[in-house]
Amino acid sequence: MASNSSGGGSSDRQRIAQQRLRIIAGHLQGPVDGDSAILAAECKAQGSKTDVCREGKTVPRRRQEIMKWNGWGYSDSKFLFNKKGQAEFTGKRYRLSGMIIPGLKDWMEGTFGANLQHKTPATPLLTSSAVQPATLNKAFLEELKSTGIPFSHDAEDRVFRAHGHCLHEIFALREGKFGRVPDMVVWPNCHNDVVKIVELACKHNVCVIPYGGGTSVSSALECPPEETRSIVSLDTSQMNRILWIDEKNLTAHVEAGIVGQDLERLLNESGYCTGHEPDSMEFSSLGGWVATRASGMKKNIYGNIEDLVIHIRMVTPRGVIEKSCQGPRMSTGPDIHHFIMGSEGTLGVVTEVTMKIRPMPEYQKYGSVVFPNFEQGVACLREVAKQRCAPASIRLMDNEQFKFGHALKPQVSSIFTSFLDGLKTFYITKFKGFDPNRLCVATLLFEGDREKVLQHEKQVYDIAAKFGGLAAGEDNGQRGYMLTFVIAYLRDLGMDYYVIGESFETSVPWDRVLDICRNVKARIIQECKDKGVQFPPLSTCRVTQTYDTGACVYFYFAFNYRGLSDPVHVYEQVEHAAREEILANGGSLSHHHGVGKLRKEWMRDTVSNVGVGMLKSVKDYVDPDNIFGNRNLL
Amino acid sequence: MMFLSLQHRDPMLKKRDDFEDMLEERRNSSDLRYALRCYTPVLYKGLAPCKASMLKSMVLQSDQLHHVIGQVSRETGRAADDVQEEASAILEEMAHCLQLSTVRFFAFTLSKVFKTLFRSICVNEEGIQRLQQAIQEHPVVLLPSHRSYMDFLLMSYILYTYDIALPVIAAGMDFMGMKFVGEMLRMSGAFFIRRSFGGDKLYWSVFSEYVKTMLKNGFAPVEFFLEGTRSRTSKSLTPKLGLLNIVMDPYLKGEVYDINVVPVSISYERILEEALYAREMLGVPKPKESTSGLFKARKVLSEDYGSIHVYFGQPVSVRSLAQGRVNRCQFNLVPRHIPRRPSEEIQSFVNDSAYRLVRAQEENMVLKPWVLLASLLLQNHHQDQTAGQKRGMVLEELTAQAVWLRDMFREYGAFLHWPVVLLDICVGGQVKPGEPHSTVTPEEELLSQAVIVLSCASYRNQGLHVFLRPALLASAINAASSNLKQEVFNSFSFLRNMFSNEFILCPGATVQDFEEACYLLVKTGALQVTQQELLVTERGQRTVAFLTSMLDPFLQGYQVVCRFLCEEATENLTEKQFVPAVRKFIIKHLLAGRLRYTEVLSSDLQKNSLAALLRLGAVQKIKGRIKLSKVTYSSVFLLRTCVNLTYNC
């Protein structure tokens, strides 16, 4: 297969023929793997013979075979309006798959003023001729070929790795527009492959951009347009093995290209988990988490990535950086892991990581609480954090998001269920006097052994009751978390109907939570009005993580752009203003999305001049020739 | 020097709303029914109204107050409960207790009073609609101009009439001294603050928290007077920043999304306190506010005070004012409830905003013909005096001049209210400031004449803001040693700096003001601007002469204060003694005929010039005593040069 890929530069006929072959080969996964297995064998020899598993990996080299090239997620899963005008989610992968969502149409029409008659379909096919021809570094290419590491300069492969999932990136793809894209893609199979690639890149002055899951929302994967060197996208997806599990110390040594769902599934097979579950975990990779300081939904039990990582191996232009032991904590000067975590691909490629693992929880229970208003909800979360009894996950949605969640309820099968729903609504709004336009919902997830979970649950519900909260059932909670995974698909639906949007996050001290939520939402609405948006935008937020001293807040923002000549520019201006508002209200530049190029301009104010200087001098030492030239962060 | 493109918006194009007379309806329908009608104002974001008592407990439970109570108790060694009680007592003394029944009582009585006193009370209804909108969007601060005690009763009366949430009003403690009336005012929404509480941390904390709580919760619009006190001269006063700082704080700290500030211009045709003010400035002390005094004052009911124009200006968003000026991140690193002295950045922002808001008040002041007549008569009077005559002005001449001046006012963008028929009540053949009646000593004669001149001046002052900048330029042209732009600018800049305690001149806006002045004079054909020079045109002579003599009394006032300080001030002159001493000095010189303007007797002018000299460092205050500093002489010299060049004294 490697030879197939590298032949991408030949005539169109040949290319199409090869493409067909590859698709066929894709269906017969076996042979594809067999090919690279030879190379992998070499690596494994140096690694460990306890290579636990590499079956059932999710991400193929040619990602476009199973994933959308111009939207979120799997090609077979998407929202659409069927012939009857009802919203439907296709595919078989999710709980919502194959279901009718009756409320979505009304919600979209009501919230955005969208109309099913006004469509903005995406360009269906990628036209290779629209992609800039690859600038290849001949000498580099020659030497790379001799290493036998698979690579490609096929246009589809290159375009797929030229973007993350920022609105402007997806919008441009849907219009069939491509800016600077990587000139080639390489698929190292192990740590040593990466060492070789980086050595060659240094030798031939080639720019390397590491690529993990491609789920970035900070323009981190965008190729700097001013880059004149050949750009190589280093796709870590084939480095996806768990190399060993150490049950005595409860650690696992894993290759950094593994995506979240594979890591969790493979560990589960051995009875373990990491408990690290970012919303993007289906596609985002371990290396990406390390490089952006990721945060997982269940961090209250398992911790964020910086709490989970024991050991990191990273290949830099200066060589390999790693610690000499696996002590649980060290006092050996500033922690070098903290130069790596959050370096966003500017220093090197994370190849292997040793992580904490935990036995799988015996029992899981979802839950939800309805509060009369957002203020009460926040007060409750604060109290929960104060008493340090937060469940694995606790999230508070504001009223708009509550309504949104409601609109995404799938069609209920029995009259009895809908009758029960009606009864619940009646109880909350009429009997308890909650204003349906003010109430908000917290979703909860408890984990642990059964006894303790139930005890814990009671404690949390007791606190909630003090703030006027009413338990609202497991179903609502579970649906809330399930929606996390499908919400990204929903943006693609919106984009089919003139609606664009995005989410962004921050972290903020407790005393500022309410203020920041109100002010940022109001700022978004005002900016939209000022910028000539014809329809009222959706401007909503939720508190998604609690800490001792503050919380993580997510904002969702979307609007109908009919009547605007440059909707993406308007969108960017509004998001920019919203970020300024966040910073002015004591929020951080980012809680876990990272800085990338999107938020670079605020770095200096965020970490001070000296801080920027410190980071710069690390970069200058580690990568003096700017081989890792994605220009993120600084 | 920057002579950038003169892109000022043409002041004549300023759009202003029309007025409606709200007394008209009162004259045609029952006051009682009006007072008892259904009153349902819209509130901020539709909040349910909260009780005054609830407000108090919110203040007492606030983080800020808790912090300060703790601090005071640690510093003084008193028990926290004790301090808490004191805070509670302060709040009790301060807080309003708005009651609809009292408001209705006022609505009834004020209707009666207003109908006898005034011909009409004109309000711009579009402004009212804007206010109504603003109240629903964000917390609102009302900033009326302050010329009379009437002001805040009038404001509440208007808001009640238009079914708008009644404001809570910051009032001076002196009102509370009035038995019964103080309580009545409290029940109509006034809250009382001590005039000075500089060092009292606890008082300041209770006060600021009280105001902020009302504002943040959208309890009611907060109303206060930027000028701090009633202007006795009808000129706007230099804004006081304390309360403005407090009301802007919730925005700066992110506790509210925005705050709408609404400047309100109240123009009286004749101010109730008119004669009182003049006497006060001449040294007759201000009578203490008392209920019996109020009753004695009822004789004013038989007089005609013309009409009132109340203009609700465009709401100003504090957010847009602060855009690009204040970095709100400065509050990120210290808990927001810990009171801190505002940073320099914020101080200068609040100061600039205050000036802008006072200018917004000035801009929408309605000017009646009397303002123009008073200006002309005063100038004529002074010319007569110099010439040793007492002839006044022929009516036709006055009319002709008034028409000329009216056109000039209009070109400068003044908000003129010009009746179709001017001077419908014809006043004999000649018009001049009245003559004093029986007089005993020359000094008394002088003083009683001064009362008339000062009253007259207060009418003139209403229009001063319109041509202040051109007048400064005109004086600067006269004073400068050549027509070179740079020279003129230097002398403009000196005069402007000197007078910045006297008039509303935004700090740091010298270049803009200069350009505005040039623009206006060029536009009216009075001035030609070339690459290097500023030349007064033939037909501009009259304008320039008029403008210069508008400022002359002020220049002479400042000059005489300087002269006094140089010649007569003793070593031990205290601030208290200053006004009487300088007054004595001036009277002496006026009687000897060495001074031209009786106006310089105004204590307001004298205090302003002292403040200016202190600010410029010509004079120093050491342990409450006024001392000349070394630079004085150069300053005085400069000032004299100005005055002497302006006209040959």
Side-chain angles (χ1 to χ4, degrees):
Chain A
M1 286 310 293
S3 59
N4 266 348
S5 303
S6 56
S10 46
S11 83
D12 256 4
R13 270 184 77 114
Q14 234 177 323
R15 202 184 56 77
I16 292 162
Q18 280 168 353
Q19 196 171 337
R20 285 204 62 80
L21 263 174
R22 254 176 276 140
I23 290 169
I24 295 163
H27 296 309
L28 311 164
Q29 280 224 303
V32 185
D33 270 357
D35 194 13
S36 47
I38 304 157
L39 290 166
E42 289 171 28
C43 292
K44 260 188 279 180
Q46 295 150 354
S48 159
K49 50 180 182 279
T50 49
D51 175 6
V52 178
C53 186
R54 63 172 281 121
E55 295 306 311
K57 66 173 190 181
T58 303
V59 187
R61 258 189 253 159
R62 289 186 57 78
R63 295 174 189 237
Q64 55 272 36
E65 281 162 11
I66 60 160
M67 289 181 222
K68 298 191 191 83
W69 67 276
N70 62 355
W72 178 262
Y74 298 107
S75 307
D76 57 18
S77 302
K78 64 179 200 174
F79 284 98
L80 51 79
F81 286 107
N82 61 22
K83 289 196 183 98
K84 284 192 226 158
Q86 287 173 310
E88 190 183 321
F89 192 59
T90 65
K92 294 196 182 76
R93 295 176 188 268
Y94 302 91
R95 258 184 56 163
L96 205 59
S97 295
M99 292 207 199
I100 302 283
I101 303 123
L104 190 56
K105 177 171 170 269
D106 286 347
W107 181 80
M108 267 186 68
E109 288 173 345
T111 310
F112 299 109
N115 188 321
L116 295 198
Q117 310 310 317
H118 300 288
K119 281 203 76 172
T120 42
T123 316
L125 288 170
L126 192 157
T127 25
S128 306
S129 54
V131 183
Q132 274 180 16
T135 317
L136 294 176
N137 183 318
K138 291 258 159 55
F140 173 78
L141 199 61
E142 285 310 310
E143 286 206 47
L144 184 69
K145 270 184 190 160
S146 71
T147 62
I149 297 168
F151 66 92
S152 156
H153 31 84
D154 170 66
E156 282 184 20
D157 288 332
R158 288 161 55 214
V159 166
F160 201 97
R161 286 157 188 84
H163 66 86
H165 283 270
C166 286
L167 175 82
H168 66 270
E169 294 172 321
I170 300 300
F171 198 90
L173 289 176
R174 288 172 60 95
E175 296 209 310
K177 289 181 185 153
F178 316 105
R180 179 81 163 97
V181 303
D183 299 301
M184 61 186 292
V185 182
V186 290
W187 287 274
N189 210 31
C190 60
H191 171 79
N192 283 352
D193 283 358
V194 176
V195 173
K196 280 180 214 157
I197 295 167
V198 172
E199 266 170 16
L200 289 180
C202 292
K203 185 171 166 194
H204 300 290
N205 194 24
V206 163
C207 173
V208 178
I209 299 184
Y211 183 92
T215 56
S216 138
V217 280
S218 59
S219 300
L221 289 167
E222 237 170 62
C223 298
E226 67 273 24
E227 182 60 69
T228 52
R229 297 174 296 182
S230 182
I231 300 179
V232 175
S233 177
L234 190 152
D235 185 329
T236 58
S237 61
Q238 306 309 304
M239 311 192 331
N240 54 9
R241 287 150 292 205
I242 295 177
L243 297 176
W244 47 256
I245 292 174
D246 176 347
E247 289 174 287
K248 290 219 170 62
N249 295 312
L250 287 180
T251 54
H253 191 64
V254 188
E255 286 186 313
I258 195 166
V259 294
Q261 57 168 322
D262 290 353
L263 176 63
E264 242 15 52
R265 196 183 55 244
L266 295 176
L267 284 175
N268 288 355
E269 284 168 12
S270 319
Y272 294 102
C273 68
T274 61
H276 185 69
E277 294 185 12
D279 289 358
S280 61
M281 69 173 288
E282 287 174 281
F283 305 106
S284 58
S285 68
L286 171 55
W289 300 337
V290 170
T292 56
R293 295 181 65 87
S295 168
M297 172 180 111
K298 300 194 289 197
K299 72 94 196 155
N300 291 335
I301 293 184
Y302 301 96
N304 287 317
I305 195 74
E306 67 272 19
D307 310 308
L308 287 166
V309 158
I310 296 295
H311 181 268
I312 303 173
R313 215 170 179 199
M314 178 166 80
V315 180
T316 77
R318 283 273 177 190
V320 175
I321 175 173
E322 62 185 320
K323 289 185 189 173
S324 67
C325 67
Q326 299 192 34
R329 182 180 187 275
M330 298 184 210
S331 173
T332 48
D335 191 339
I336 56 161
H337 281 171
H338 286 285
F339 289 121
I340 298 169
M341 284 189 284
S343 61
E344 303 192 358
T346 57
L347 300 178
V349 186
V350 177
T351 55
E352 289 169 16
V353 177
T354 310
M355 268 183 109
K356 290 182 195 171
I357 55 170
R358 300 286 307 161
M360 278 171 73
E362 173 194 312
Y363 188 65
Q364 262 198 346
K365 193 172 182 192
Y366 290 96
S368 64
V369 181
V370 183
F371 292 98
N373 56 47
F374 192 64
E375 289 77 8
Q376 295 281 72
V378 170
C380 172
L381 261 63
R382 204 281 161 267
E383 185 60 30
V384 166
K386 200 186 245 168
Q387 296 193 20
R388 291 200 170 166
C389 64
S393 169
I394 178 165
R395 289 177 171 177
L396 180 73
M397 298 184 262
D398 70 359
N399 183 261
E400 288 86 354
Q401 242 176 72
F402 162 73
K403 287 179 180 160
F404 172 48
H406 220 67
L408 283 172
K409 261 190 179 170
Q411 202 160 32
V412 283
S413 40
S414 77
I415 300 174
F416 181 67
T417 332
S418 77
F419 172 74
L420 266 186
D421 277 352
L423 214 60
K424 263 188 241 161
T425 319
F426 177 81
Y427 175 71
I428 286 171
T429 57
K430 294 291 177 322
F431 190 72
K432 279 287 171 178
F434 285 18
D435 178 351
N437 289 314
R438 297 195 67 200
L439 62 81
C440 71
V441 174
T443 58
L444 312 164
L445 171 61
F446 297 90
E447 257 186 36
D449 51 85
R450 207 186 138 82
E451 196 93 326
K452 274 188 191 150
V453 162
L454 296 177
Q455 209 181 331
H456 194 178
E457 193 187 18
K458 186 177 181 307
Q459 188 186 6
V460 172
Y461 282 124
D462 283 350
I463 294 173
K466 278 188 208 144
F467 295 91
L470 294 173
E474 277 182 75
D475 254 19
N476 280 320
Q478 187 165 16
R479 200 174 43 249
Y481 289 102
M482 184 259 310
L483 288 180
T484 315
F485 294 108
V486 298
I487 199 160
Y489 287 100
L490 206 61
R491 182 170 78 178
D492 291 336
L493 178 73
M495 285 170 96
D496 285 337
Y497 295 93
Y498 280 98
V499 175
I500 52 176
E502 180 123 86
S503 60
F504 41 87
E505 41 73 19
T506 187
S507 56
V508 64
W510 278 117
D511 73 314
R512 294 270 200 169
V513 171
L514 281 177
D515 290 332
I516 208 170
C517 290
R518 176 190 54 242
N519 291 351
V520 173
K521 287 199 283 183
R523 179 75 181 265
I524 287 171
I525 291 167
Q526 191 193 325
E527 291 288 332
C528 280
K529 207 163 134 198
D530 294 351
K531 301 285 180 296
V533 176
Q534 309 281 311
F535 302 86
L538 173 73
S539 172
T540 141
C541 70
R542 66 181 187 201
V543 180
T544 62
Q545 288 290 10
T546 62
Y547 292 87
D548 284 352
T549 63
C552 168
V553 180
Y554 242 90
F555 294 95
Y556 290 83
F557 153 49
F559 63 88
N560 181 341
Y561 67 85
R562 269 177 65 208
L564 296 181
S565 59
D566 192 351
V568 171
H569 182 62
V570 169
Y571 169 81
E572 283 171 343
Q573 284 180 310
V574 177
E575 191 191 327
H576 189 273
R579 183 57 62 180
E580 302 254 89
E581 192 63 33
I582 286 173
L583 298 174
N585 283 276
S588 64
L589 189 53
S590 172
H591 171 261
H592 60 275
H593 282 174
V595 175
K597 289 177 272 287
L598 193 63
R599 288 176 273 274
K600 240 165 98 158
E601 63 180 289
W602 292 289
M603 259 309 265
R604 199 169 284 276
D605 288 340
T606 302
V607 302
S608 82
N609 278 329
V610 180
V612 168
M614 276 167 102
L615 296 179
K616 240 189 151 79
S617 62
V618 169
K619 166 80 179 171
D620 287 347
Y621 172 76
V622 174
D623 184 16
D625 298 321
N626 196 28
I627 296 302
F628 289 91
N630 60 18
R631 294 179 200 254
N632 290 338
L633 210 58
L634 294 175
Chain B
M1 271 288 306
M2 288 167 290
F3 283 98
L4 306 168
S5 55
L6 296 164
Q7 292 166 332
H8 302 286
R9 256 191 30 223
D10 196 322
M12 273 186 78
L13 297 177
K14 239 172 246 160
K15 259 208 58 81
R16 282 164 178 132
D17 308 334
D18 295 329
F19 285 103
E20 296 283 331
D21 178 12
M22 59 180 281
L23 278 190
E24 205 172 281
E25 207 194 317
R26 291 287 94 264
R27 293 192 207 280
N28 298 325
S29 64
S30 154
D31 287 333
L32 193 63
R33 200 180 310 144
Y34 158 77
L36 293 176
R37 86 205 154 89
C38 178
Y39 168 73
T40 47
V42 281
L43 290 166
Y44 169 55
K45 298 233 169 97
L47 286 184
C50 92
K51 290 248 162 55
S53 56
M54 183 141 129
L55 203 63
K56 281 185 204 168
S57 68
M58 282 166 87
V59 173
L60 290 173
Q61 281 159 20
S62 69
D63 292 338
Q64 199 221 146
L65 199 58
H66 268 281
H67 176 85
V68 173
I69 286 172
Q71 208 179 16
V72 170
S73 125
R74 272 193 306 278
E75 277 168 15
T76 58
R78 288 164 56 196
D81 287 351
D82 194 26
V83 185
Q84 170 92 30
E85 238 162 70
E86 189 190 335
S88 181
I90 293 173
L91 188 61
E92 215 48 50
E93 175 195 83
M94 181 183 313
H96 72 81
C97 49
L98 190 58
Q99 277 183 352
L100 199 55
S101 53
T102 320
V103 174
R104 291 190 194 282
F105 167 78
F106 270 112
F108 179 76
T109 38
L110 285 178
S111 292
K112 299 284 180 215
V113 172
F114 286 159
K115 277 189 283 188
T116 27
L117 282 178
F118 304 110
R119 294 184 187 188
S120 62
I121 298 177
C122 300
V123 179
N124 64 326
E125 289 189 348
E126 281 163 68
I128 294 275
Q129 281 157 15
R130 285 192 298 256
L131 174 63
Q132 193 145 26
Q133 188 64 37
I135 285 178
Q136 289 172 65
E137 283 168 358
H138 305 295
V140 163
V141 176
L142 289 166
L143 296 179
S145 60
H146 202 12
R147 302 287 174 270
S148 164
Y149 279 145
M150 235 40 247
D151 291 328
F152 75 82
L153 289 176
L154 183 64
M155 283 291 291
S156 298
Y157 182 76
I158 293 171
L159 296 181
Y160 173 80
T161 307
Y162 287 99
D163 218 19
I164 287 176
L166 287 169
V168 286
I169 308 131
M173 201 63 117
D174 26 7
F175 275 110
M176 231 181 53
M178 301 163 78
K179 272 174 240 142
F180 183 64
V181 173
E183 284 315 304
M184 286 290 281
L185 293 177
R186 197 195 281 279
M187 286 189 279
S188 64
F191 64 94
F192 296 100
I193 42 177
R194 297 178 191 159
R195 283 264 171 221
S196 63
F197 45 90
D200 193 340
K201 236 186 256 175
L202 189 65
Y203 190 89
W204 191 87
S205 174
V206 173
F207 164 57
S208 66
E209 193 56 37
Y210 182 61
V211 175
K212 281 191 254 183
T213 307
M214 288 190 289
L215 199 65
K216 280 191 291 196
N217 295 289
F219 176 82
V222 172
E223 176 181 314
F224 65 92
F225 300 104
L226 253 186
E227 297 162 284
T229 177
R230 294 168 299 155
S231 165
R232 270 67 167 167
T233 57
S234 293
K235 278 187 291 125
S236 295
L237 303 177
T238 310
K240 303 282 180 293
L241 305 180
L243 257 163
L244 194 61
N245 252 315
I246 291 174
V247 298
M248 284 185 162
D249 195 64
Y251 163 71
L252 295 173
K253 287 184 176 162
E255 292 164 338
V256 295
Y257 179 71
D258 200 355
I259 291 165
N260 278 321
V261 183
V262 182
V264 182
S265 317
I266 308 177
S267 341
Y268 293 91
E269 191 154 9
R270 189 180 157 199
I271 293 167
L272 270 97
E273 296 97 322
E274 180 179 84
L276 270 176
Y277 286 161
R279 258 179 276 149
E280 194 185 314
M281 283 187 295
L282 290 167
V284 184
K286 162 182 165 190
K288 217 173 167 225
E289 275 84 9
S290 69
T291 313
S292 61
L294 190 81
F295 274 102
K296 277 180 207 145
R298 74 186 183 277
K299 74 165 199 293
V300 297
L301 283 176
S302 55
E303 289 193 44
D304 176 5
Y305 286 88
S307 54
I308 305 176
H309 284 82
V310 183
Y311 194 96
F312 287 83
Q314 200 73 42
V316 180
S317 133
V318 174
R319 175 174 277 269
S320 62
L321 280 178
Q323 183 75 38
R325 290 247 8 214
V326 180
N327 180 4
R328 287 182 286 153
C329 291
Q330 61 188 286
F331 298 103
N332 287 358
L333 297 179
V334 178
R336 290 174 294 170
H337 65 265
I338 297 178
R340 279 199 302 170
R341 179 172 281 281
S343 67
E344 241 165 69
E345 186 188 25
I346 285 172
Q347 280 179 22
S348 100
F349 162 67
V350 173
N351 190 35
D352 287 359
S353 307
Y355 274 90
R356 268 178 76 166
L357 291 164
V358 176
R359 273 199 81 180
Q361 286 175 355
E362 283 186 335
E363 260 172 27
N364 291 323
M365 284 287 201
V366 174
L367 304 179
K368 311 271 160 56
W370 315 119
V371 175
L372 279 59
L373 297 182
S375 313
L376 292 166
L377 285 171
L378 266 180
Q379 284 201 8
N380 180 266
H381 173 70
H382 290 134
Q383 276 160 18
D384 282 358
Q385 275 208 323
T386 333
Q389 301 163 331
K390 287 196 172 179
R391 62 177 183 90
M393 266 174 112
V394 180
L395 185 61
E396 287 82 56
E397 194 193 329
L398 180 63
T399 316
Q401 285 199 25
V403 169
W404 170 78
L405 190 55
R406 178 196 65 190
D407 294 344
M408 192 163 104
F409 259 69
R410 281 196 176 146
E411 287 204 88
Y412 288 176
F415 197 178
L416 272 181
H417 187 81
W418 201 262
V420 188
V421 190
L422 177 63
L423 294 184
D424 48 350
I425 18 142
C426 204
V427 206
Q430 291 194 330
V431 187
K432 58 183 171 183
E435 284 300 314
H437 313 293
S438 59
T439 49
V440 194
T441 63
E443 189 179 325
E444 274 173 29
E445 186 189 328
L446 178 70
L447 280 177
S448 56
Q449 202 202 9
V451 171
I452 293 158
V453 171
L454 283 188
S455 304
C456 216
S458 85
Y459 282 86
R460 177 206 58 200
N461 286 348
Q462 289 176 34
L464 260 183
H465 65 272
V466 175
F467 40 72
L468 173 61
R469 283 154 194 84
L472 283 170
L473 181 59
S475 301
I477 290 172
N478 272 348
S481 49
S482 76
N483 286 329
L484 288 176
K485 261 184 199 170
Q486 188 62 55
E487 294 263 356
V488 175
F489 178 78
N490 288 346
S491 93
F492 176 87
S493 166
F494 170 77
L495 283 172
R496 189 186 175 282
N497 192 12
M498 182 61 102
F499 281 137
S500 55
N501 291 71
E502 191 72 43
F503 308 114
I504 300 301
L505 291 158
C506 306
T510 313
V511 175
Q512 287 99 300
D513 281 348
F514 185 67
E515 281 178 2
E516 190 185 322
C518 287
Y519 171 76
L520 289 173
L521 284 178
V522 168
K523 195 186 81 153
T524 50
L527 193 70
Q528 273 185 327
V529 179
T530 67
Q531 278 287 316
Q532 300 289 325
E533 290 182 315
L534 298 178
L535 296 167
V536 179
T537 61
E538 193 65 38
R539 60 182 262 241
Q541 297 293 346
R542 183 181 178 189
T543 313
V544 169
F546 171 81
L547 290 174
T548 327
S549 41
M550 281 311 256
L551 279 191
D552 273 352
F554 296 96
L555 273 169
Q556 194 172 63
Y558 278 52
Q559 188 201 26
V560 79
V561 168
C562 285
R563 210 195 268 174
F564 163 76
L565 287 169
C566 296
E567 293 171 12
E568 300 243 328
T570 56
E571 274 295 287
N572 289 321
L573 183 70
T574 61
E575 223 178 335
K576 257 196 179 151
Q577 294 162 340
F578 168 76
V579 170
V582 80
R583 181 179 293 134
K584 220 173 110 195
F585 178 79
I586 291 172
I587 289 175
K588 192 176 79 192
H589 282 270
L590 273 172
L591 288 175
R594 282 194 293 268
L595 282 174
R596 193 183 208 180
Y597 298 107
T598 342
E599 239 186 292
V600 300
L601 271 170
S602 152
S603 62
D604 183 68
L605 186 64
Q606 294 149 10
K607 283 178 197 158
N608 284 340
S609 45
L610 181 64
L613 291 171
L614 278 165
R615 176 172 47 83
L616 295 174
V619 173
Q620 282 174 321
K621 209 157 60 175
I622 300 165
K623 289 180 194 156
R625 296 182 198 287
I626 298 161
K627 298 259 159 72
L628 292 178
S629 40
K630 289 201 177 110
V631 283
T632 310
Y633 293 97
S634 61
S635 241
V636 170
F637 176 74
L638 257 171
L639 193 64
R640 261 192 200 169
T641 334
C642 276
V643 179
N644 290 346
L645 282 170
T646 312
Y647 74 101
N648 297 316
C649 190

